[in-house]
Amino acid sequence: MLIVMRTAATEADTARVVDYIKTLNLTPNPIPGAQRTAIGITGNTGALDPALFARFSDVCEAIPISRPWKLVSREVKPDDTVVSLPGPDNQPAQIGGGNFGVIAGPCAVESPEQLMTAAREVRKAGARFFRGGAYKPRTSPYSFQGMKDEGLELLAKARAETGMPVVTEIIDTRDVDLFAQHVDVVQVGARNMQNFALLEAVGSIKRPVLLKRGMAATLQEFLMAAEYICKNGNYQVILCERGIRTFETMTRNTLDLGSLPLLRRLTHLPIIVDPSHGTGDWRSVPALARAAVAMGADGLMIEVHPNPAQALSDGPQSLTPANFAKLMTSVKAIADVVGAKL
Ligand code: PEP
Ligand code: MN
């Protein structure tokens, strides 16, 4: 159920309703909005009676929510969630609500030279967020597993020099405090989209979470995974469409751009697109990046490596800095047409 407070309701009025919800052994989730405060109620197994809230004159409406996802839904929060962090040039780096954010960088942190070159190049081309995996979830235990803690330190150096907030993947619940301390946006990868312990853990930190769609996840499962994070109080969640596995074998994944307008209607969370993992081939990345911005995505995640042929992971889908700069030029042109702020 969603409780919508009157616009004139004070914090004390909301607190009274919150306390009442607790007496029902349910969980109140206050969600301040641009126009009004709403309180999402979770924890109920059956339907709640809206009449329970008739006693509060500051409650404008009690709306039953029939969907299995609640806190991520547009019904609960009609206005777009905006993720905003301190960014380069003393300007915020933002994703959502009309702000188009480009996250770029190598698949994995490999060395100080590789990382710093990548950071300088993507910044020069206009990226406002920097990515690089320090802990890599690899299919083979014999593949490069990432530089781990040392990788996090290098990312911090890249942030210090370029001003870009850093995005990197967490693969273990035991690292949550470490990430909360050193990382700006915590990525939960496709392979962990339904690692519920990890979702709960990142839900209880105060860092934005970039949640990638699982490779066989339906949109409902994707939204429910985001719900796990919001349920623990963290509403700073960015959804990332990164392709799903289908019968097709000539592309690494099938990039489901059709999910975009549907997710946009269902959720207030920002939605970005990763055409690098979505296609697996650098030659296809620019076209799908342009399609994503034209379709109203809130941002892109693009893999860029100073020397893709030498990359320790995902070289075939990584752009050179020069090709990334070209991509940015065409993406900016489309952003202007669709009114996205880049
Ligand atoms: C990545 O971003 O490098 C990554 C491993 O992505 P995904 O989880 O989408 O496969
Ligand atoms: Mn990768």
Side-chain angles (χ1 to χ4, degrees), residues 136-195:
K136 293 304 299 176
R138 303 305 298 278
T139 302
S140 164
Y142 307 116
S143 300
F144 174 59
Q145 304 285 312
M147 291 179 75
K148 307 189 175 162
D149 299 20
E150 221 183 314
L152 293 186
E153 281 168 29
L154 291 176
L155 286 167
K157 280 197 184 135
R159 173 182 49 218
E161 186 187 306
T162 63
M164 288 184 287
V166 298
V167 183
T168 194
E169 179 168 354
I170 187 166
I171 57 177
D172 193 321
T173 49
R174 289 170 294 191
D175 293 331
V176 160
D177 292 338
L178 182 72
F179 273 61
Q181 248 182 305
H182 298 293
V183 172
D184 302 298
V185 179
V186 178
Q187 177 173 325
V188 174
R191 287 155 197 78
N192 276 310
M193 191 207 80
Q194 284 188 315
N195 179 339

Side-chain angles (χ1 to χ4, degrees), residues 105-108 131-133 135-138 167 169 171 187-193 210-215 240-243 252-253 274 276-278 301 303 313-314 317:
C107 180
R131 66 149 287 152
Y135 296 80
K136 293 304 299 176
R138 303 305 298 278
V167 183
E169 179 168 354
I171 57 177
Q187 177 173 325
V188 174
R191 287 155 197 78
N192 276 310
M193 191 207 80
L210 175 77
L211 177 66
K212 300 190 86 174
R213 183 176 179 183
M215 51 187 103
C240 179
E241 169 59 54
R242 48 78 74 200
R252 180 176 180 182
N253 289 295
D274 169 357
S276 305
H277 294 87
M301 177 178 256
E303 286 188 338
S313 67
D314 287 350
Q317 67 193 32

Side-chain angles (χ1 to χ4, degrees), residues 49-320:
D49 184 0
L52 284 170
F53 297 90
R55 71 190 72 191
F56 296 101
S57 59
D58 305 296
V59 167
C60 167
E61 241 183 317
I63 310 167
I65 298 180
S66 49
R67 310 239 198 224
W69 57 89
K70 317 270 177 205
L71 304 176
V72 304
S73 77
R74 277 237 183 247
E75 287 161 285
V76 163
K77 183 170 177 285
D79 43 307
D80 294 342
T81 288
V82 181
V83 170
S84 184
L85 292 164
D89 303 331
N90 296 317
Q91 300 288 320
Q94 294 180 312
I95 293 181
N99 302 290
F100 192 86
V102 179
I103 304 169
C107 180
V109 182
E110 298 172 0
S111 70
E113 301 70 41
Q114 172 251 15
L115 198 73
M116 294 313 295
T117 308
R120 290 177 194 129
E121 293 285 352
V122 302
R123 176 66 207 115
K124 199 164 73 186
R128 297 191 60 76
F129 295 82
F130 186 52
R131 66 149 287 152
Y135 296 80
K136 293 304 299 176
R138 303 305 298 278
T139 302
S140 164
Y142 307 116
S143 300
F144 174 59
Q145 304 285 312
M147 291 179 75
K148 307 189 175 162
D149 299 20
E150 221 183 314
L152 293 186
E153 281 168 29
L154 291 176
L155 286 167
K157 280 197 184 135
R159 173 182 49 218
E161 186 187 306
T162 63
M164 288 184 287
V166 298
V167 183
T168 194
E169 179 168 354
I170 187 166
I171 57 177
D172 193 321
T173 49
R174 289 170 294 191
D175 293 331
V176 160
D177 292 338
L178 182 72
F179 273 61
Q181 248 182 305
H182 298 293
V183 172
D184 302 298
V185 179
V186 178
Q187 177 173 325
V188 174
R191 287 155 197 78
N192 276 310
M193 191 207 80
Q194 284 188 315
N195 179 339
F196 301 114
L198 192 59
L199 298 175
E200 297 251 14
V202 297
S204 51
I205 60 175
K206 293 197 166 32
R207 294 282 178 200
V209 176
L210 175 77
L211 177 66
K212 300 190 86 174
R213 183 176 179 183
M215 51 187 103
T218 63
L219 294 179
Q220 170 149 329
E221 287 162 344
F222 194 15
L223 290 168
M224 294 310 286
E227 186 82 12
Y228 264 90
I229 303 170
C230 295
K231 191 203 78 166
N232 276 9
N234 189 351
Y235 286 83
Q236 297 280 292
V237 181
I238 302 163
L239 301 177
C240 179
E241 169 59 54
R242 48 78 74 200
I244 47 176
R245 194 168 277 180
T246 65
F247 54 80
E248 183 53 69
T249 55
M250 289 178 74
T251 47
R252 180 176 180 182
N253 289 295
T254 298
L255 188 64
D256 183 14
L257 286 179
S259 68
L260 246 75
L262 175 57
L263 286 172
R264 175 71 75 221
R265 295 198 292 278
L266 296 177
T267 179
H268 54 85
L269 298 176
I271 309 148
I272 69 164
V273 173
D274 169 357
S276 305
H277 294 87
T279 61
D281 186 333
W282 68 271
R283 293 166 299 186
S284 302
V285 169
L288 284 156
R290 291 193 293 270
V293 61
M295 288 187 73
D298 296 300
L300 288 168
M301 177 178 256
I302 309 279
E303 286 188 338
V304 181
H305 193 287
N307 185 352
Q310 300 288 315
L312 297 181
S313 67
D314 287 350
Q317 67 193 32
S318 299
L319 294 177
T320 59

